[in-house]
Amino acid sequence: MSQSSGIPSSGNIDSQLDTLINRIHALSGEKAGGTRAGGDSTATTNPGTTASGAASGRAANPESAAGLAPNNAVATGSMPAAGNQSPVAPVAGTPAGPRTPAGNSVSHPAAPLATGGPGPVPGQAQGQNRPQGQNRPGPARPRPPQPAGYQPNRDEPWRPEEPESIVAGHINETLVESIIFRFILNAGEAEGRRIADQVQLPFRLIEPILERLKMDQSVAYKSATATNDYVYVLTESGRAVARNHLHDSTYHGSCPVRLADYIESVKLQTIEGQYPKRNDLQRAFSDLLINPKMLHRLGPAVASGRGMFLFGFPGNGKTSIAERVTGAFGKYIWIPRAVDIDGDILRVFDPMNHEAAMPETSGGLLNSGSFDKRWVRIKRPTIVAGGELTMEMLEVLNNPTSNISEAPLQMKSNCGTLVIDDFGRQKMSVDQLLNRWIIPLEKRYDFLNMASGKKIQVPFDQLVIFSTNLEPKDLVDDAFLRRIPYKIEVENPPEADFRKLFEIMCKVTKIPYNAEAIDYLVKTHYLAVDRPFRNCQPRDLLLQVRNFCLYNNLEVELKKEYFDFACDNYFSVM
């Protein structure tokens, strides 16, 4: 029997209602068309379902019928005619359900069911109320242990990973803001990405800070850029804030890293964990003629990573040996540009003592940034301090005007080599130096006093080499000598090595080698007068011969008379 226009038949209504009920059951873990409460079953696609069958199904499952009433058009009798309804493909990852004429998907009720049982929680992921084990969440994706494209190796045992967020990077946001204020005040205006480059942080971390400063009316947009960025300037209130920050410090460079992160980096790159072998030492001294006996003694001392005394006559290459020791270890380490110590800035990277060797990057706006740019990759440092060394150079140096502190030499040489050349000839007494380092050499850590009064503990992780022309026992007592486990004498070279040095240095100075002239020199000016050989003398005498020839417009060559002139000058007071 036909229905009035626009009113769907009761059979169609019952069929559609049962379809919705079965889909709700499917969402709750029951199979569509399966047994419902009361033991009745209803097909989901049978268009000939009778009104009585549908009614019995509804009576057997009153909870579902009651739950549909608030959210479905069926309860109000506004379901469209069967001929006007078309199937809608479900969105990937969501349950397929019928749609209303307006195109809105019919969803299961969010309110509790009529029986008081809990319904799905709004915003809850689909399938969370299924039986245990059917929809377990997958394991959390682990954070990559190393930056992309990098594998730890002996030459670079560690690389700092680019911070993913302010919190993950242990970044002091207040300190970053003060640096930004000082930088814009100094520059006048700056693009957002230029500010990010200045503080050496990803732009995605700096942009929210700039937006907040804009909301606080501390900065303003001067103009937009072609790269979807803005040029920032300080407002009047922003300039006042920046001037207040200038009273604390004038620093507006790279964002400092935490002291704890720096200490951890030293542990990961420690020189004591390298253990160089014989091949490593031979490679390090490949450009230096060194006696195998000397290399045999140096090897264990270098591998220990602790400390040594090099003593012997002047001119035998103690300094040259000490400067090449670092080459036996890995090539690179990472050090921070600056360290944050409870708001105090301690600068560590020093272009005068550190040689930067940054890895290649793609550059530009699409730079992947595979490392934390607050750090600098440098060649393992070799810092040499001679007679100019003072006690002040071993403590934190603070500039009272800028309120920026400079790390001492021993901190700058961490994970490398610190050479105290001409030990015993410094402006300070030997006792002062020994008392300053007697504990660090034993414990491998040092205490530094900041200008604000804070005392901090930092690693003392370097190979300390004391080079001296004097006998160590005449300089220091037994308590200090015990903390320097290796005492190595750099002896005079034998005659064969001395002659070999002339061959090597002739190539360096571009003077044709003449064995006859060398024989004359050795017999006349050394053996005849019982003069000891020194490693520095071949180079010095050849330079004297070269300069004599150039001055007199003579061909640069080795002759007996040229060596006579050179020896008269060189050994006149020796």
Side-chain angles (χ1 to χ4, degrees):
M1 186 172 181
S2 61
Q3 302 287 333
S4 60
S5 177
I7 304 299
S9 65
S10 60
N12 288 338
I13 293 176
D14 291 336
S15 175
Q16 293 169 3
L17 181 59
D18 287 333
T19 300
L20 292 178
I21 292 173
N22 280 304
R23 287 182 177 175
I24 292 173
H25 278 266
L27 290 176
S28 62
E30 298 181 22
K31 189 173 181 180
T35 302
R36 296 184 295 179
D40 296 332
S41 64
T42 304
T44 58
T45 58
N46 184 6
T49 303
T50 61
S52 60
S56 65
R58 289 195 300 273
N61 195 359
E63 298 92 342
S64 298
L68 279 171
N71 294 319
N72 293 278
V74 176
T76 61
S78 60
M79 177 67 73
N84 295 332
Q85 189 173 0
S86 61
V88 180
V91 179
T94 61
R99 293 182 179 270
T100 63
N104 297 324
S105 176
V106 178
S107 61
H108 54 274
L113 300 179
T115 59
V121 178
Q124 186 177 20
Q126 297 160 1
Q128 288 185 357
N129 56 347
R130 294 183 180 179
Q132 186 176 4
Q134 288 190 6
N135 192 27
R136 292 179 180 175
R141 183 180 179 182
R143 183 180 178 184
Q146 300 294 343
Y150 161 76
Q151 290 295 330
N153 55 76
R154 188 173 185 275
D155 284 336
E156 189 181 352
W158 174 77
R159 179 179 289 189
E161 187 178 3
E162 184 179 64
E164 297 178 356
S165 65
I166 294 291
V167 175
H170 306 127
I171 298 169
N172 187 334
E173 190 169 352
T174 302
L175 185 58
V176 174
E177 287 185 10
S178 65
I179 294 174
I180 292 175
F181 273 114
R182 288 191 287 259
F183 173 63
I184 300 178
L185 181 66
N186 181 72
E189 61 184 47
E191 298 179 7
R193 285 184 171 81
R194 183 186 171 195
I195 296 172
D197 290 341
Q198 181 70 15
V199 298
Q200 299 294 333
L201 288 174
F203 179 66
R204 67 176 185 275
L205 304 187
I206 295 301
E207 188 175 24
I209 298 177
L210 293 174
E211 288 298 322
R212 189 176 68 253
L213 296 180
K214 173 67 169 56
M215 293 293 294
D216 294 342
Q217 298 184 350
S218 296
V219 300
Y221 298 150
K222 180 180 179 182
S223 60
T225 68
T227 58
N228 197 26
D229 195 3
Y230 296 98
V231 176
Y232 292 88
V233 295
L234 293 176
T235 63
E236 189 62 35
S237 61
R239 282 193 292 270
V241 173
R243 293 189 190 99
N244 288 334
H245 286 305
L246 279 177
H247 294 158
D248 298 331
S249 173
T250 62
Y251 182 82
H252 57 270
S254 169
C255 174
V257 305
R258 289 193 316 168
L259 177 61
D261 293 337
Y262 168 69
I263 294 173
E264 183 64 23
S265 74
V266 175
K267 293 178 181 178
L268 296 171
Q269 304 173 102
T270 175
I271 201 168
E272 289 189 82
Q274 291 273 309
Y275 301 113
K277 304 296 188 293
R278 183 183 298 273
N279 292 339
D280 298 318
L281 258 72
Q282 290 174 342
R283 184 186 68 252
F285 295 109
S286 60
D287 64 334
L288 193 68
L289 181 63
I290 185 168
N291 192 283
K293 177 183 175 182
M294 182 67 180
L295 192 65
H296 181 71
R297 298 188 64 188
L298 275 174
V302 175
S304 71
R306 302 289 290 184
M308 73 177 83
F309 262 112
L310 291 179
F311 65 97
F313 293 105
N316 277 341
K318 295 183 296 297
T319 303
S320 297
I321 291 173
E323 290 174 343
R324 286 165 174 78
V325 162
T326 312
F329 299 93
K331 291 182 180 179
Y332 309 113
I333 64 168
W334 289 82
I335 64 171
R337 300 176 188 272
V339 174
D340 172 25
I341 304 169
D342 296 332
D344 292 339
I345 307 296
L346 181 64
R347 230 172 358 207
V348 178
F349 175 64
D350 181 6
M352 295 292 293
N353 290 298
H354 298 144
E355 184 178 351
M358 298 296 288
E360 295 182 0
T361 58
S362 60
L365 295 178
L366 300 180
N367 182 10
S368 60
S370 59
F371 58 87
D372 190 341
K373 296 174 181 60
R374 297 177 295 165
W375 299 72
V376 184
R377 193 179 77 169
I378 63 171
K379 294 183 177 180
R380 280 197 183 263
T382 300
I383 297 180
V384 182
E388 77 282 0
L389 182 65
T390 62
M391 183 61 72
E392 288 74 19
M393 297 168 67
L394 305 179
E395 303 294 343
V396 174
L397 299 177
N398 179 261
N399 187 325
T401 303
S402 64
N403 201 23
I404 301 174
S405 298
E406 192 80 16
L409 282 182
Q410 68 270 23
M411 186 173 176
K412 293 179 180 179
S413 65
N414 273 334
C415 303
T417 304
L418 176 60
V419 181
I420 307 300
D421 203 12
D422 290 329
F423 181 59
R425 304 184 187 276
Q426 281 71 33
K427 295 180 180 179
M428 60 179 172
S429 67
V430 172
D431 290 341
Q432 284 181 302
L433 178 59
L434 301 185
N435 291 335
R436 175 65 181 81
W437 277 357
I438 195 167
I439 298 300
L441 284 170
E442 176 78 16
K443 303 296 185 181
R444 307 300 288 174
Y445 58 79
D446 193 12
F447 289 99
L448 300 177
N449 295 311
M450 301 297 294
S452 60
K454 300 183 185 73
K455 177 172 284 190
I456 61 173
Q457 179 180 321
V458 297
F460 191 86
D461 187 277
Q462 64 280 111
L463 178 63
V464 183
I465 301 178
F466 296 91
S467 173
T468 180
N469 302 329
L470 309 173
E471 282 286 341
K473 62 182 180 181
D474 297 334
L475 288 173
V476 298
D477 56 17
D478 292 341
F480 189 79
L481 286 175
R482 180 177 64 82
R483 290 168 171 82
I484 305 295
Y486 296 93
K487 298 89 175 174
I488 300 174
E489 182 179 6
V490 182
E491 300 176 344
N492 294 330
E495 182 179 339
D497 287 353
F498 189 71
R499 291 174 178 270
K500 184 66 176 177
L501 280 172
F502 271 103
E503 293 185 34
I504 296 173
M505 294 310 302
C506 279
K507 295 178 181 179
V508 174
T509 58
K510 299 181 180 179
I511 301 176
Y513 179 74
N514 185 343
E516 183 180 352
I518 301 300
D519 287 339
Y520 170 80
L521 171 68
V522 171
K523 294 177 181 178
T524 305
H525 294 283
Y526 282 90
L527 299 180
V529 296
D530 197 23
R531 178 174 286 130
F533 299 112
R534 299 281 193 270
N535 284 319
C536 66
Q537 291 170 356
R539 177 201 60 195
D540 296 342
L541 292 174
L542 288 176
L543 288 177
Q544 291 235 10
V545 170
R546 183 174 181 274
N547 292 334
F548 174 80
C549 294
L550 292 175
Y551 175 75
N552 291 285
N553 289 326
L554 300 173
E555 182 181 356
V556 179
E557 57 182 339
L558 298 182
K559 289 186 176 182
K560 297 178 182 179
E561 56 269 27
Y562 296 169
F563 273 129
D564 289 337
F565 174 83
C567 289
D568 287 342
N569 286 334
Y570 193 74
F571 297 117
S572 59
V573 293
M574 297 173 63

